Coordinates of all heavy atoms in Angstrom, one line a residue:
M1082 N -194.7 -0.1 46.4 CA -195.7 -1.1 46.1 C -196.1 -1.0 44.6 O -196.4 0.0 44.2 CB -196.9 -1.0 47.0 CG -197.9 -2.1 46.9 SD -199.1 -2.0 48.2 CE -200.5 -2.8 47.4
A1083 N -196.1 -2.1 43.9 CA -196.4 -2.1 42.5 C -197.9 -1.9 42.3 O -198.7 -2.5 43.1 CB -195.9 -3.4 41.8
S1084 N -198.3 -1.3 41.2 CA -199.7 -1.1 40.9 C -200.2 -2.4 40.4 O -199.6 -3.2 39.8 CB -199.9 0.1 40.0 OG -199.3 -0.2 38.8
E1085 N -201.5 -2.6 40.6 CA -202.2 -3.7 40.1 C -202.3 -3.7 38.6 O -202.5 -2.7 38.0 CB -203.7 -3.8 40.7 CG -203.7 -4.1 42.2 CD -203.3 -5.5 42.4 OE1 -203.7 -6.4 41.7 OE2 -202.6 -5.7 43.4
P1086 N -202.1 -4.9 37.9 CA -202.3 -4.9 36.5 C -203.7 -4.6 36.1 O -204.7 -4.9 36.8 CB -201.9 -6.3 36.1 CG -202.0 -7.1 37.3 CD -201.8 -6.2 38.5
V1087 N -203.9 -4.0 34.9 CA -205.2 -3.6 34.4 C -205.9 -4.9 34.0 O -205.3 -5.8 33.3 CB -205.1 -2.7 33.2 CG1 -206.4 -2.4 32.7 CG2 -204.4 -1.3 33.7
K1088 N -207.1 -5.1 34.4 CA -207.9 -6.2 34.1 C -209.2 -5.9 33.4 O -209.5 -4.7 33.3 CB -208.3 -7.1 35.3 CG -207.0 -7.6 36.1 CD -207.5 -8.3 37.3 CE -206.2 -8.8 38.1 NZ -206.5 -9.5 39.3
G1089 N -209.8 -6.9 32.8 CA -211.1 -6.6 32.1 C -210.9 -5.9 30.8 O -209.8 -6.0 30.2
P1090 N -212.0 -5.3 30.3 CA -211.9 -4.7 29.0 C -210.8 -3.6 28.8 O -210.2 -3.6 27.8 CB -213.3 -4.0 28.9 CG -214.2 -4.7 29.8 CD -213.3 -5.2 30.9
A1091 N -210.5 -2.9 29.9 CA -209.4 -1.9 29.8 C -208.1 -2.5 29.5 O -207.2 -1.8 29.0 CB -209.4 -1.1 31.1
S1092 N -207.9 -3.8 29.7 CA -206.6 -4.4 29.5 C -206.3 -4.4 27.9 O -205.2 -4.5 27.5 CB -206.5 -5.8 30.0 OG -207.5 -6.7 29.3
Y1093 N -207.3 -4.3 27.1 CA -207.2 -4.2 25.7 C -206.8 -2.9 25.1 O -206.4 -2.7 24.0 CB -208.5 -4.7 25.0 CG -208.8 -6.1 25.0 CD1 -209.7 -6.6 26.0 CD2 -208.2 -7.1 24.1 CE1 -210.0 -7.9 26.0 CE2 -208.6 -8.4 24.2 CZ -209.5 -8.8 25.2 OH -209.8 -10.2 25.2
F1094 N -207.0 -1.8 25.9 CA -206.9 -0.5 25.4 C -205.6 -0.1 24.8 O -205.5 0.5 23.7 CB -207.3 0.5 26.5 CG -208.7 0.5 26.9 CD1 -209.3 1.3 27.9 CD2 -209.6 -0.3 26.2 CE1 -210.6 1.3 28.2 CE2 -211.0 -0.3 26.5 CZ -211.5 0.5 27.5
P1095 N -204.4 -0.4 25.4 CA -203.1 -0.1 24.7 C -203.0 -0.7 23.3 O -202.6 0.0 22.4 CB -202.1 -0.7 25.7 CG -202.7 -0.7 27.0 CD -204.2 -1.0 26.7
S1096 N -203.4 -2.0 23.2 CA -203.3 -2.6 21.9 C -204.3 -2.0 20.9 O -204.1 -1.9 19.7 CB -203.4 -4.1 21.9 OG -204.6 -4.5 22.5
I1097 N -205.5 -1.6 21.4 CA -206.5 -1.0 20.5 C -206.0 0.3 20.0 O -206.1 0.6 18.8 CB -207.8 -0.8 21.3 CG1 -208.5 -2.2 21.5 CG2 -208.8 0.1 20.5 CD1 -209.7 -2.1 22.5
E1098 N -205.5 1.2 20.9 CA -204.9 2.4 20.5 C -203.8 2.3 19.4 O -203.7 3.0 18.4 CB -204.4 3.2 21.7 CG -205.6 3.7 22.6 CD -205.1 4.4 23.8 OE1 -204.0 4.2 24.3 OE2 -205.9 5.2 24.3
K1099 N -202.9 1.3 19.7 CA -201.8 1.1 18.8 C -202.3 0.6 17.5 O -201.8 1.1 16.4 CB -200.8 0.1 19.4 CG -199.6 -0.1 18.6 CD -198.6 -1.0 19.3 CE -197.4 -1.3 18.4 NZ -196.4 -2.2 19.1
K1100 N -203.1 -0.4 17.4 CA -203.6 -1.0 16.2 C -204.4 -0.2 15.3 O -204.3 -0.2 14.1 CB -204.3 -2.3 16.5 CG -204.6 -3.2 15.3 CD -205.0 -4.6 15.6 CE -205.2 -5.3 14.3 NZ -205.5 -6.7 14.5
Y1101 N -205.4 0.6 16.0 CA -206.3 1.3 15.2 C -206.1 2.8 15.2 O -206.9 3.6 14.5 CB -207.8 1.0 15.7 CG -208.0 -0.5 15.7 CD1 -208.1 -1.2 16.9 CD2 -208.2 -1.2 14.5 CE1 -208.3 -2.6 16.9 CE2 -208.4 -2.6 14.5 CZ -208.4 -3.2 15.7 OH -208.6 -4.6 15.7
G1102 N -205.1 3.3 15.9 CA -204.6 4.7 15.7 C -205.4 5.8 16.3 O -205.2 7.0 16.0
K1103 N -206.3 5.5 17.2 CA -207.1 6.5 17.9 C -207.0 6.2 19.4 O -207.1 5.1 19.8 CB -208.6 6.5 17.5 CG -208.8 6.9 16.0 CD -210.3 6.9 15.7 CE -210.4 7.2 14.2 NZ -211.8 7.1 13.8
P1104 N -207.1 7.3 20.2 CA -207.2 7.0 21.6 C -208.6 6.4 22.0 O -209.6 6.7 21.3 CB -207.0 8.4 22.2 CG -207.2 9.4 21.1 CD -207.0 8.7 19.8
I1105 N -208.6 5.7 23.1 CA -209.8 5.1 23.5 C -211.0 6.1 23.7 O -212.2 5.8 23.4 CB -209.6 4.3 24.9 CG1 -208.7 3.2 24.6 CG2 -210.9 3.9 25.5 CD1 -209.2 2.2 23.6
A1106 N -210.6 7.3 24.1 CA -211.7 8.3 24.3 C -212.4 8.6 23.0 O -213.7 8.8 23.0 CB -211.2 9.6 24.8
E1107 N -211.7 8.5 21.9 CA -212.3 8.7 20.5 C -213.3 7.5 20.2 O -214.4 7.7 19.7 CB -211.3 9.0 19.4 CG -210.7 10.4 19.5 CD -209.8 10.6 18.3 OE1 -210.1 10.2 17.2 OE2 -208.8 11.3 18.5
W1108 N -212.8 6.3 20.5 CA -213.6 5.2 20.2 C -214.8 5.2 21.0 O -215.9 4.8 20.6 CB -212.8 3.9 20.4 CG -211.7 3.7 19.4 CD1 -210.4 3.6 19.7 CD2 -211.9 3.5 18.0 NE1 -209.7 3.5 18.5 CE2 -210.6 3.3 17.4 CE3 -213.0 3.4 17.2 CZ2 -210.4 3.1 16.1 CZ3 -212.8 3.2 15.8 CH2 -211.5 3.0 15.3
Q1109 N -214.7 5.6 22.3 CA -215.9 5.6 23.2 C -216.9 6.7 22.7 O -218.1 6.4 22.8 CB -215.4 5.9 24.6 CG -214.7 4.8 25.2 CD -214.3 5.1 26.7 OE1 -213.6 6.0 26.9 NE2 -214.8 4.2 27.6
Q1110 N -216.4 7.8 22.1 CA -217.3 8.8 21.6 C -218.0 8.3 20.4 O -219.2 8.5 20.2 CB -216.6 10.1 21.3 CG -217.5 11.2 20.9 CD -218.5 11.6 22.1 OE1 -218.1 11.7 23.2 NE2 -219.8 11.6 21.8
I1111 N -217.3 7.5 19.6 CA -218.0 6.9 18.4 C -219.2 6.0 18.9 O -220.2 6.0 18.3 CB -217.0 6.1 17.5 CG1 -216.0 7.1 16.9 CG2 -217.7 5.2 16.5 CD1 -214.8 6.4 16.2
V1112 N -218.9 5.2 19.9 CA -220.0 4.4 20.5 C -221.1 5.2 21.0 O -222.3 5.0 20.7 CB -219.4 3.4 21.5 CG1 -220.5 2.7 22.3 CG2 -218.4 2.4 21.0
R1113 N -220.8 6.2 21.8 CA -221.8 7.1 22.4 C -222.7 7.8 21.3 O -223.9 8.0 21.5 CB -221.2 8.1 23.3 CG -220.7 7.6 24.6 CD -220.2 8.8 25.5 NE -219.3 8.2 26.5 CZ -217.9 8.3 26.4 NH1 -217.4 9.0 25.4 NH2 -217.2 7.8 27.3
D1114 N -222.0 8.2 20.2 CA -222.7 8.8 19.2 C -223.8 7.9 18.5 O -224.7 8.4 17.8 CB -221.8 9.3 18.1 CG -220.9 10.5 18.5 OD1 -221.3 11.2 19.6 OD2 -219.9 10.8 17.9
R1115 N -223.7 6.6 18.7 CA -224.7 5.7 18.1 C -225.8 5.3 19.1 O -226.6 4.5 18.7 CB -223.9 4.4 17.6 CG -223.0 4.7 16.4 CD -223.8 5.1 15.2 NE -222.9 5.3 14.1 CZ -222.7 4.4 13.1 NH1 -223.4 3.3 13.1 NH2 -221.9 4.7 12.1
L1116 N -225.7 5.7 20.3 CA -226.7 5.4 21.3 C -228.0 6.1 21.0 O -228.0 7.2 20.5 CB -226.2 5.7 22.7 CG -225.0 4.9 23.2 CD1 -224.6 5.4 24.5 CD2 -225.4 3.4 23.2
P1117 N -229.2 5.6 21.2 CA -229.3 4.2 21.8 C -229.2 3.1 20.7 O -229.7 3.3 19.6 CB -230.7 4.2 22.3 CG -231.5 5.2 21.4 CD -230.4 6.2 21.0
A1118 N -228.5 2.1 21.1 CA -228.3 0.9 20.2 C -228.1 -0.2 21.1 O -227.6 -0.1 22.2 CB -227.2 1.2 19.2
K1119 N -228.3 -1.4 20.6 CA -228.0 -2.6 21.4 C -226.5 -2.9 21.3 O -225.8 -2.5 20.4 CB -228.7 -3.8 20.8 CG -230.2 -3.7 20.9 CD -231.0 -4.9 20.4 CE -232.5 -4.7 20.5 NZ -233.2 -5.8 20.0
H1120 N -226.1 -3.7 22.4 CA -224.7 -4.0 22.5 C -224.0 -4.6 21.2 O -223.1 -4.1 20.7 CB -224.5 -5.0 23.7 CG -223.1 -5.4 23.9 ND1 -222.3 -4.9 24.8 CD2 -222.4 -6.4 23.3 CE1 -221.1 -5.5 24.8 NE2 -221.2 -6.4 23.8
M1121 N -224.7 -5.6 20.7 CA -224.1 -6.3 19.5 C -224.2 -5.4 18.2 O -223.4 -5.6 17.3 CB -224.7 -7.6 19.3 CG -224.3 -8.7 20.4 SD -222.5 -8.8 20.6 CE -222.0 -9.4 19.0
E1122 N -225.1 -4.5 18.2 CA -225.2 -3.5 17.1 C -224.0 -2.7 17.1 O -223.4 -2.3 16.1 CB -226.5 -2.7 17.1 CG -227.7 -3.5 16.9 CD -229.0 -2.7 17.1 OE1 -229.0 -1.7 17.8 OE2 -230.1 -3.2 16.7
L1123 N -223.6 -2.2 18.3 CA -222.4 -1.3 18.5 C -221.1 -2.1 18.2 O -220.3 -1.6 17.5 CB -222.4 -0.8 19.9 CG -223.5 0.1 20.3 CD1 -223.6 0.4 21.8 CD2 -223.4 1.4 19.5
V1124 N -221.0 -3.4 18.6 CA -219.9 -4.2 18.3 C -219.8 -4.3 16.7 O -218.7 -4.2 16.1 CB -219.9 -5.5 18.9 CG1 -218.9 -6.5 18.4 CG2 -219.8 -5.4 20.4
A1125 N -220.9 -4.7 16.1 CA -220.9 -4.9 14.6 C -220.5 -3.6 13.9 O -219.8 -3.6 12.9 CB -222.3 -5.3 14.2
M1126 N -220.9 -2.4 14.4 CA -220.6 -1.1 13.8 C -219.1 -0.9 13.8 O -218.5 -0.6 12.8 CB -221.3 0.0 14.5 CG -221.0 1.4 14.0 SD -219.6 2.3 14.9 CE -220.2 2.3 16.6
L1127 N -218.5 -1.2 15.0 CA -217.0 -1.0 15.1 C -216.3 -2.0 14.2 O -215.3 -1.6 13.6 CB -216.6 -1.2 16.5 CG -217.0 -0.1 17.5 CD1 -216.5 -0.5 19.0 CD2 -216.3 1.2 17.1
K1128 N -216.8 -3.2 14.0 CA -216.2 -4.2 13.2 C -216.4 -3.8 11.7 O -215.4 -3.8 10.9 CB -216.7 -5.5 13.5 CG -216.4 -6.1 14.8 CD -217.2 -7.3 15.2 CE -217.0 -8.5 14.3 NZ -217.7 -9.7 14.7
D1129 N -217.6 -3.5 11.3 CA -217.9 -3.2 9.9 C -217.4 -1.9 9.4 O -216.9 -1.8 8.3 CB -219.4 -3.3 9.7 CG -220.0 -4.7 10.0 OD1 -219.2 -5.7 10.0 OD2 -221.2 -4.8 10.2
E1130 N -217.5 -0.9 10.2 CA -217.2 0.5 9.7 C -215.8 0.9 10.0 O -215.3 1.8 9.4 CB -218.2 1.5 10.3 CG -219.6 1.3 9.8 CD -220.6 2.3 10.5 OE1 -220.1 3.4 10.9 OE2 -221.8 2.0 10.5
H1131 N -215.2 0.2 11.0 CA -213.8 0.7 11.5 C -212.8 -0.5 11.4 O -211.6 -0.2 11.8 CB -213.9 1.3 12.8 CG -214.8 2.5 12.9 ND1 -214.4 3.7 12.5 CD2 -216.1 2.6 13.3 CE1 -215.5 4.6 12.6 NE2 -216.5 3.9 13.1
G1132 N -213.2 -1.7 11.0 CA -212.2 -2.8 10.8 C -211.7 -3.3 12.1 O -210.7 -4.0 12.1
M1133 N -212.4 -3.1 13.2 CA -212.0 -3.6 14.5 C -212.2 -5.1 14.6 O -213.2 -5.6 14.1 CB -212.7 -2.9 15.6 CG -211.8 -2.4 16.7 SD -212.7 -1.5 18.0 CE -211.9 0.0 18.0
G1134 N -211.4 -5.8 15.3 CA -211.6 -7.2 15.6 C -212.7 -7.3 16.7 O -213.0 -6.4 17.4
H1135 N -213.3 -8.5 16.8 CA -214.5 -8.7 17.6 C -214.1 -8.4 19.1 O -214.8 -7.7 19.8 CB -215.0 -10.1 17.5 CG -216.2 -10.3 18.4 ND1 -217.5 -10.0 18.0 CD2 -216.3 -10.9 19.6 CE1 -218.3 -10.2 19.0 NE2 -217.7 -10.8 20.0
G1136 N -213.0 -9.0 19.6 CA -212.6 -8.8 21.0 C -212.3 -7.3 21.3 O -212.8 -6.8 22.4
H1137 N -211.7 -6.6 20.4 CA -211.4 -5.2 20.7 C -212.7 -4.4 20.7 O -212.9 -3.5 21.5 CB -210.4 -4.6 19.6 CG -209.1 -5.1 19.9 ND1 -208.1 -5.0 18.9 CD2 -208.4 -5.7 20.9 CE1 -206.9 -5.5 19.4 NE2 -207.1 -5.9 20.6
A1138 N -213.6 -4.7 19.7 CA -214.8 -3.9 19.6 C -215.7 -4.2 20.8 O -216.2 -3.2 21.4 CB -215.6 -4.3 18.3
N1139 N -215.8 -5.4 21.3 CA -216.5 -5.7 22.4 C -216.0 -5.1 23.7 O -216.7 -4.5 24.5 CB -216.6 -7.3 22.6 CG -217.5 -7.7 23.7 OD1 -218.7 -7.5 23.6 ND2 -217.0 -8.3 24.7
A1140 N -214.7 -5.0 23.8 CA -214.1 -4.3 25.0 C -214.4 -2.9 25.0 O -214.8 -2.4 26.1 CB -212.5 -4.5 24.9
V1141 N -214.4 -2.2 23.9 CA -214.7 -0.8 23.9 C -216.2 -0.6 24.2 O -216.5 0.3 25.0 CB -214.4 -0.1 22.4 CG1 -215.0 1.2 22.4 CG2 -212.9 -0.2 22.2
V1142 N -217.1 -1.4 23.7 CA -218.5 -1.3 23.9 C -218.8 -1.6 25.4 O -219.5 -0.8 26.0 CB -219.3 -2.2 23.0 CG1 -220.8 -2.2 23.4 CG2 -219.2 -1.7 21.5
V1143 N -218.3 -2.7 25.9 CA -218.6 -3.1 27.3 C -218.1 -1.9 28.3 O -218.8 -1.5 29.1 CB -217.8 -4.4 27.7 CG1 -217.8 -4.5 29.2 CG2 -218.5 -5.5 27.0
H1144 N -216.9 -1.4 28.0 CA -216.4 -0.4 28.9 C -217.2 0.9 28.8 O -217.5 1.6 29.8 CB -214.9 -0.1 28.6 CG -214.2 0.6 29.7 ND1 -214.1 2.0 29.7 CD2 -213.6 0.2 30.8 CE1 -213.4 2.4 30.8 NE2 -213.1 1.3 31.5
T1145 N -217.6 1.3 27.6 CA -218.3 2.5 27.4 C -219.7 2.4 28.0 O -220.1 3.4 28.7 CB -218.4 2.8 25.9 OG1 -217.1 2.9 25.3 CG2 -219.1 4.1 25.6
L1146 N -220.4 1.3 27.8 CA -221.7 1.2 28.3 C -221.7 1.1 29.9 O -222.7 1.5 30.5 CB -222.4 -0.1 27.7 CG -222.7 0.0 26.2 CD1 -223.4 -1.2 25.7 CD2 -223.5 1.3 25.9
S1147 N -220.7 0.5 30.4 CA -220.6 0.4 31.9 C -220.4 1.7 32.6 O -220.8 1.9 33.7 CB -219.5 -0.6 32.3 OG -218.2 0.0 32.0
E1148 N -219.8 2.6 31.8 CA -219.6 4.0 32.4 C -220.9 4.8 32.5 O -221.1 5.7 33.2 CB -218.6 4.8 31.5 CG -217.2 4.3 31.6 CD -216.3 5.1 30.8 OE1 -216.7 5.7 29.8 OE2 -215.0 5.1 31.1
K1149 N -221.8 4.5 31.6 CA -223.1 5.2 31.6 C -223.9 5.0 32.8 O -224.8 5.8 33.2 CB -224.0 4.8 30.3 CG -223.4 5.4 29.0 CD -224.3 5.1 27.9 CE -225.6 5.8 28.0 NZ -225.7 7.2 28.0
G1150 N -223.7 3.9 33.5 CA -224.5 3.6 34.7 C -225.8 3.2 34.4 O -226.8 3.0 34.8

């Protein structure tokens, strides 16, 4: 049986790792290190300080914040 395709924010992870040269775990730690902060502040930080595109930055932030519970 074939595995289900990855959906949601995690579907961006392979291209994020390839384009920006860091594993997702490192990007998530960068986000966690800035907490507490608002969602869009974290997205802006990834875009402004790390050159990430909006969709990629948002995917990392959404996934990281959802893990915190």
Side-chain angles (χ1 to χ4, degrees):
M1082 188 168 154
S1084 61
E1085 290 291 318
V1087 177
K1088 295 180 180 178
S1092 67
Y1093 287 98
F1094 290 176
S1096 60
I1097 292 169
E1098 291 177 335
K1099 183 177 180 182
K1100 185 168 185 172
Y1101 305 107
K1103 292 182 184 177
I1105 291 303
E1107 284 187 38
W1108 290 116
Q1109 289 181 301
Q1110 190 58 53
I1111 289 168
V1112 170
R1113 285 186 203 102
D1114 289 346
R1115 293 293 181 102
L1116 294 175
K1119 293 181 180 179
H1120 176 99
M1121 289 308 296
E1122 292 171 343
L1123 296 166
V1124 170
M1126 176 270 300
L1127 290 174
K1128 291 168 62 176
D1129 296 343
E1130 296 179 21
H1131 300 280
M1133 228 182 236
H1135 182 83
H1137 286 165
N1139 190 60
V1141 171
V1142 171
V1143 165
H1144 196 269
T1145 303
L1146 295 180
S1147 71
E1148 288 181 338
K1149 289 187 61 65

